[in-house]
Amino acid sequence: MVSFLIAAVPTYVILTNNRTEEGVAMSPNVASQITRTRIERALWFMARVVAGPDGEVYLPIFERLERELAALDAKSDTLARARSLQASTPISSPSTPRGA
């Protein structure tokens, strides 16, 4: 089971600015393959592993997946707020005073 875990978990590592936590550059194509569904599936898988014998060893992976899911939600919320703000305000340049 451990060999499967080692092979499976890296596919779920979330990238920030196209870099892993170790700072290794990753292809934008790889970053685009990371979806909410993939994170949720990995989280479910890790929940089963953590609940098993000696599963506490894998708690850091489970916690990382939880953080990545929360970060994905926060990013979606921020994008939605920005789009809402953009749609509700008139178009003007930041350097041009309104009404000028």
Side-chain angles (χ1 to χ4, degrees):
M1 179 165 190
V2 173
S3 63
F4 172 75
L5 178 64
I6 292 170
V9 171
T11 62
Y12 298 108
V13 172
I14 302 305
L15 307 176
T16 304
N17 298 327
N18 296 333
R19 296 185 180 276
T20 64
E21 280 190 344
E22 294 79 32
V24 178
M26 299 295 285
S27 159
N29 194 23
V30 172
S32 69
Q33 295 174 8
I34 299 169
T35 64
R36 180 178 185 78
T37 302
R38 288 186 75 185
I39 297 170
E40 287 173 340
R41 286 180 183 169
L43 194 57
W44 177 84
F45 174 79
M46 289 308 302
R48 293 188 62 195
V49 171
V50 168
D54 300 321
E56 288 183 27
V57 173
Y58 301 103
L59 276 174
I61 298 170
F62 184 82
E63 291 169 340
R64 169 72 188 265
L65 289 166
E66 287 182 318
R67 287 192 308 271
E68 295 299 344
L69 195 55
L72 190 63
D73 289 342
K75 181 179 178 182
S76 294
D77 292 346
T78 302
L79 283 171
R81 288 193 314 272
R83 290 179 178 141
S84 175
L85 181 62
Q86 184 273 329
S88 67
T89 57
I91 299 173
S92 68
S93 170
S95 60
T96 306
R98 289 186 186 221

